[in-house]
Amino acid sequence: MPDPLDGLDDIDWTALNHAYGDADDVPELLRGLRSPDPAEREGALDALYGGVHHQGDLYDSTLACLPFLCALAADPAVEDRDALLGLLDSIGESADQARECAGDDIPDPQAVVDQAKDEDEWYEEVSWAYGLLAHAALRDLLPALVPLLADPDPGVRAAAAGLLARRHSRPDAVLELLIEQAGREDDGAARHAHAGSLGTLVGRLHDDPPQRLRAVRALARLAEPGGDPGTELTALAALARHAPDQLPDGTAEQAAAALDRSREQPPAPATDPRPDTDTLLSHLRNLRATTFAEDADERVADALGALHQALGDRVTIRHQLVLHTLRHGDPQSPLEAVDRAGDLHSGWRVPDSAAAETAEALGRLLRDPDEELATAAARELRLGRLPLSPELLDTAAAIAEDGRFHTGWGWERNLAGQCIQLLAAAGDERGVSTLAPLLPGRIAPEDLPHWCEQLRPHVNGDLFGMLYVRMRQIAKSCDKKDEDGKLNHTALRELGRLLAAMAATRRPEAPKIIGPMLTAALTLTQDTTRELHDGPATALSLSDGLGPDAEDALPVLRQLLGDPAQKTRVAAARALWHAGQDPAEFLPALGEVIADADNWYARVCALELAAVMGPAAAPLAEQIREDLAAERDGTDHDPTLARLLIAARAIAPDAEPHDELMRALWTRRRDIRPLIAAALVRERATRGLPDGFPELLRAELADPRRVDNNSKYYGRMRYNTATDDAFRADCRALLAEQPA
C-alpha cells in the first residue's frame, strides 16, 4: 500500500496558516497520527483539531491536510482511524455550513482566498470560501473511503458509515453497501451506527423516491423489536425524524421493552480505553463519562435521547417513555429521566392526566436518598407547573420544615428550598410558616416577591415582620459607599427585592414602609444621577404596582414621575393608576415616554399601561394613532406594532379596529400572541372577537408546543409555563363566548 504521507514534505507548510500562525508544525502532527504510542496519537489529533480546525474554522492548512487524513484513515496499519474519520466529519460539517451560508454568492472561492491573502485580511466570506474549497476537496476524496464500510475494524465501520452518509456527495452511492453491511453486521456499536446513518440517507434521498424507499425499508428492519436495544432505539429515532409515517404502532411500548432488555442484558465488553492525556479530547471524553451512571449503556442512552428529540411534538409517546424511565430507570442516570420530564412538561402542552402521572412519579423521588436527584425532581415539579396533590404537598412541607440552609446567595436552591417554592406555588399556607424564620440573616432570593404574591392570602404578621427585619438589616449597608465613593449596588438590589416582596403581600403596612424607603433611596443619588437606583425601583415592579391602598406612598410616586429613568416614570404611573389616582397626573409622563422611540423597553411598558387604562388614557389616543401609522409604514417592528395597536383599540373602542393587522400580527409572531389574547379578553365588553380569530384560537389550542417553544433547543431548556397557561386560559375564555 502506498505511503499515506507520500508528498508531505513537498508542501511549503510555512506558507500556510492555521489558528496559531504558520503551519510548519503540521507535518509532524500528521506523522504523529500513525505513532505506535496511543498518547502521542491523541496529542497529534488534539493539536490538529486546535490548529487546522480551531473551533470549527477552516484554513489553507486544513485543505492541505485533507488528502493525508483520508489516506491515513484508509491505511489498515494506522491505529485509531475512527478518530481520524471523526475529524474529517467535523471538517465536512464546517464545509457544509459554509456552503449553506455562502449560497450562490461566491462563485470563485479561490479568488476570494487569494484576494484576502493579498490584502492580509480576514472576513466572513473568506471563511465561507475555505469551506467551499473543503467541500469540493471532500467531494473528490470521500469516494475512496467507501470500502471502509466493510473494514475489519468495527469502530472504523461505524465512523465511516456516519461520515459517508452525511458528507458523500452521492448518497445513493453509499446506500447499497451500507444496506448490505447493516444486514450482516455482528458488532452492536457498528450496527447502531448503521441505523443512524440509514436515517441520514433517508433524509438526504428525498429527491430520489425509489432509493429513499429502500433506505426506509432497511431502517424498518433494524427497528424490528427484539434485537440489539441501542440499534432498535436508534432506528426508531431515525424513522421518527425522517419517515414518521413508518413508525410502528405501539412505538412507546416497543421502546420501553427495548429499554427493559438493555437493563437485563450483560454490559458490553469494554473496548480498549483511550489514553488519559493532557488534551482537550481526553478532557471532553472524561467529562462525558461523568454524565453517565456506573455501568450505564451509553449507546442506549444516546439512542433514547435521539428518540425523544426526533419524536418532537408526539407528546403521548414521549410521556409514556418519560414515565417508564422515571419508574424503571433511565439508561444514562436517574437525573436524566428527571431532566427529560422537565423538558417535556416545560416545552409541551401535556394533557392533565399525563401531567398528574408525571407529578406522582417525581413526587416519589422527593424522599430519594440521593438529595441531588430529589432536588431536581422538586425543581421540575415547580418549573413544569405540574399538579401538586395533597400527599405531595405534605411531603414537601415535611422536608421544608426539617431543612438546613446556609446564609449566602442561593440558599433556597437545595431540596428544602425547592420544597418551600412548591408550597408557595400551590398557595399552601405552610409555605408562610417555613419561609418566615429563614429570612433574617439570609440574602433575599430573586423570586422572593413572586413567592409572597403566591402566598398572599396566607401572609401573616410573622412573615411580614421577618421581611421587615431583613430589610432593616440590609438597609444599614445601603448608604455605605466604598472607597471610590460608589454605591453598594448589591445591598440596594436586595433592598428592592425585599420592598417588592412587601408590596406583593398587600399588607396595609407595606406602603407605609415602602414610601419612606423610596424617598430615602432617592437621597443616595441626589448629587449624581438623581434617578432612583434600579434596586429600590424593583419595589414598583409588580403588575398592579403597590395595589389600591398606597396612600402613604403617593407623594414619592408623584415625585418619581419626573425621574430621569423613563422605566421608573412608567412604574410610578402604573402604581398611581392602580392606586386609583387621577390619570391627568401621570398621562403627560406616559406621553413623553411613548414619544421616545429610542427607549424601547420603557416605551412598550408605557403602551401596555395605556392599554390597561383603556378610555381613561384618551388624551393619548391621537399620539398613539399617529405612532401606529408611522410604525406600520416604517420599521414594521411587530412587538412595538402590536402594543401600539392594542393600546389604540383599548383607548378608543369606537375607532378603526384594524382587525386585519391584528390577525396578521397573530400569524407572524407567535411570541406576541399572549399579549393579543389578553387584550381581546379585556375588549370583550366593547368589541366582538375579530373575524377569523375563532379559527386562530382553536388552532393555537391544538398546538402541542408551549407558546415560547420555538423548537431550536432540546434538553435543559425551560420555558415560561406560567405565561403559556395564562395564554391558553385566555384563548378558552374567548372561545367560550363563541357559537359551537
Side-chain angles (χ1 to χ4, degrees):
M1 184 173 182
D3 182 356
L5 298 183
D6 187 32
L8 183 66
D9 294 328
D10 296 338
I11 297 172
D12 183 4
W13 293 93
T14 61
L16 304 179
N17 291 284
H18 56 42
Y20 299 104
D22 69 60
D24 61 347
D25 58 337
V26 169
E28 284 308 306
L29 296 177
L30 290 169
R31 291 188 178 97
L33 294 175
R34 58 179 184 180
S35 167
D37 180 1
E40 184 179 349
R41 291 197 301 272
E42 177 152 294
L45 181 65
D46 187 79
L48 286 169
Y49 266 109
V52 305
H53 192 37
H54 182 72
Q55 296 181 355
D57 287 340
L58 305 176
Y59 309 85
D60 50 8
S61 61
T62 319
L63 302 176
C65 284
L66 288 176
F68 300 109
L69 290 172
C70 288
L72 288 166
D75 185 352
V78 175
E79 299 287 337
D80 300 334
R81 288 179 293 144
D82 55 335
L84 301 188
L85 293 168
L87 174 56
L88 286 167
D89 195 18
S90 183
I91 291 171
E93 181 178 10
S94 293
D96 286 347
Q97 290 172 352
R99 192 164 175 243
E100 181 178 345
C101 292
D104 298 326
D105 295 338
I106 306 180
D108 187 351
Q110 187 61 56
V112 173
V113 168
D114 292 341
Q115 180 179 345
K117 286 186 174 183
D118 290 342
E119 298 172 352
D120 195 21
E121 293 286 349
W122 182 276
Y123 37 88
E124 192 172 46
E125 287 77 9
V126 180
S127 176
W128 296 347
Y130 277 125
L132 293 172
L133 293 171
H135 185 274
L138 288 171
R139 181 188 60 215
D140 296 335
L141 291 167
L142 289 184
L145 299 184
V146 171
L148 295 183
L149 291 172
D151 193 90
D153 184 335
V156 171
R157 295 197 298 272
L163 167 66
L164 295 169
R166 284 186 287 270
R167 313 298 170 204
H168 197 293
S169 61
R170 287 189 52 212
D172 59 307
V174 180
L175 179 62
E176 184 66 38
L177 188 53
L178 187 57
I179 290 176
E180 290 179 9
Q181 186 61 39
R184 61 173 177 260
E185 183 60 67
D186 57 2
D187 181 81
R191 191 173 172 85
H192 178 132
H194 294 339
S197 300
L198 281 169
T200 300
L201 290 178
V202 171
R204 294 188 64 197
L205 288 166
H206 53 82
D207 291 331
D208 189 345
Q211 292 289 68
R212 181 181 185 276
L213 181 59
R214 293 188 65 220
V216 169
R217 287 173 174 169
L219 196 56
R221 288 193 292 273
L222 293 178
E224 291 175 355
D228 171 65
T231 300
E232 183 180 337
L233 291 170
T234 299
L236 287 173
L239 288 173
R241 184 175 299 281
H242 299 291
D245 57 318
Q246 297 298 312
L247 270 178
D249 294 335
T251 292
E253 292 80 5
Q254 180 181 337
L259 291 173
D260 292 340
R261 290 200 316 277
S262 74
R263 286 192 298 273
E264 296 164 0
Q265 68 185 17
T271 58
D272 292 335
R274 301 283 190 190
D276 192 6
T277 60
D278 186 22
T279 63
L280 182 59
L281 289 173
S282 183
H283 171 72
L284 292 175
R285 191 166 54 244
N286 293 335
L287 191 64
R288 172 179 160 83
T290 64
T291 66
F292 290 87
E294 188 176 356
D295 295 329
D297 189 324
E298 294 189 20
R299 287 199 299 110
V300 173
D302 289 342
L304 179 59
L307 179 57
H308 269 285
Q309 287 192 20
L311 286 169
D313 294 343
R314 281 154 288 209
V315 170
T316 300
I317 300 176
R318 291 181 63 193
H319 165 66
Q320 291 174 275
L321 290 175
V322 162
L323 207 58
H324 188 83
T325 53
L326 285 173
R327 290 172 174 171
H328 304 291
D330 186 276
Q332 181 165 338
S333 72
L335 276 171
E336 192 66 21
V338 172
D339 184 75
R340 287 199 180 100
D343 178 51
L344 176 62
H345 287 275
S346 163
W348 279 264
R349 297 164 172 173
V350 179
D352 292 345
S353 58
E357 289 178 322
T358 303
E360 188 270 337
L362 289 172
R364 287 201 304 269
L365 294 177
L366 295 182
R367 288 295 192 185
D368 195 275
D370 182 347
E371 186 165 332
E372 183 183 8
L373 178 62
T375 303
R379 183 174 58 250
E380 299 302 352
L381 281 164
R382 174 176 58 84
L383 294 176
R385 290 172 58 88
L386 294 169
L388 305 175
S389 67
E391 296 78 15
L392 194 156
L393 289 171
D394 288 344
T395 300
I399 293 171
E401 186 175 349
D402 294 339
R404 298 291 181 268
F405 303 87
H406 61 78
T407 58
W409 181 259
W411 59 265
E412 77 286 0
R413 297 174 187 170
N414 67 1
L415 174 59
Q418 292 291 340
C419 286
I420 290 175
Q421 294 178 66
L422 283 177
L423 295 172
D428 190 306
E429 61 184 337
R430 289 171 290 187
V432 172
S433 58
T434 52
L435 177 61
L438 296 173
L439 294 174
R442 287 185 172 84
I443 296 173
E446 290 279 359
D447 290 334
L448 180 61
H450 183 50
W451 304 345
C452 290
E453 189 174 16
Q454 293 172 316
L455 292 168
R456 183 181 295 171
H458 307 294
V459 171
N460 54 26
D462 290 342
L463 178 56
F464 192 87
M466 294 301 99
L467 287 169
Y468 181 75
V469 169
R470 179 58 186 168
M471 187 209 71
R472 290 290 302 270
Q473 291 173 342
I474 202 66
K476 295 176 183 178
S477 302
C478 288
D479 57 357
K480 295 178 181 177
K481 298 182 179 180
D482 62 19
E483 58 187 16
D484 296 325
K486 294 182 179 178
L487 295 173
N488 188 336
H489 298 294
T490 300
L492 284 165
R493 289 180 181 127
E494 183 177 355
L495 174 65
R497 296 194 294 275
L498 290 161
L499 294 176
M502 288 182 170
T505 68
R506 289 294 177 262
R507 297 274 296 185
E509 312 96 296
K512 299 182 190 327
I513 297 170
I514 295 170
M517 291 303 298
L518 292 179
T519 301
L522 279 170
T523 65
L524 298 176
T525 57
Q526 62 185 358
D527 296 328
T528 54
T529 64
R530 304 186 68 82
E531 66 181 49
L532 181 64
H533 189 278
D534 62 0
T538 306
L540 306 177
S541 61
L542 299 181
S543 61
D544 56 351
L546 302 180
D549 302 316
E551 184 68 29
D552 295 282
L554 294 181
V556 71
L557 292 176
R558 293 187 178 108
Q559 184 180 354
L560 290 173
L561 291 174
D563 194 272
Q566 291 186 357
K567 63 180 181 180
T568 302
R569 283 182 248 164
V570 176
R574 182 170 56 236
L576 288 167
W577 165 252
H578 288 287
Q581 300 305 295
D582 185 354
E585 290 188 76
F586 52 84
L587 282 177
L590 280 186
E592 290 176 5
V593 174
I594 291 171
D596 186 358
D598 292 333
N599 193 328
W600 184 83
Y601 177 74
R603 188 185 190 209
V604 298
C605 289
L607 288 168
E608 289 173 5
L609 176 56
V612 170
M613 292 174 64
L620 301 177
E622 183 177 355
Q623 175 186 352
I624 290 175
R625 281 197 303 270
E626 291 175 355
D627 286 355
L628 174 61
E631 190 76 32
R632 197 172 182 182
D633 296 336
T635 60
D636 205 29
H637 182 245
D638 285 347
T640 303
L641 193 57
R643 290 168 172 87
L644 284 165
L645 174 59
I646 289 168
R649 289 169 61 102
I651 292 171
D654 297 327
E656 166 61 41
H658 300 290
D659 287 349
E660 77 291 345
L661 178 57
M662 187 76 94
R663 286 191 297 271
L665 287 166
W666 179 284
T667 304
R668 290 202 298 254
R669 292 287 296 260
R670 194 172 184 226
D671 59 327
I672 58 179
R673 290 179 191 176
L675 195 70
I676 295 173
L680 293 174
V681 168
R682 290 195 301 268
E683 288 182 2
R684 285 182 296 180
T686 56
R687 296 182 193 270
L689 196 61
D691 290 343
F693 260 87
E695 293 78 13
L696 293 174
L697 293 167
R698 292 187 185 99
E700 176 59 50
L701 289 174
D703 194 317
R705 291 177 183 267
R706 292 195 183 270
V707 68
D708 57 347
N709 181 354
N710 60 13
S711 80
K712 294 180 180 178
Y713 304 100
Y714 293 96
R716 293 170 179 82
M717 181 71 184
R718 296 299 177 262
Y719 298 94
N720 192 333
T721 51
T723 294
D724 186 70
D725 287 348
F727 172 43
R728 286 189 291 160
D730 284 343
C731 291
R732 294 189 191 102
L734 291 167
L735 283 174
E737 301 176 355
Q738 301 301 306

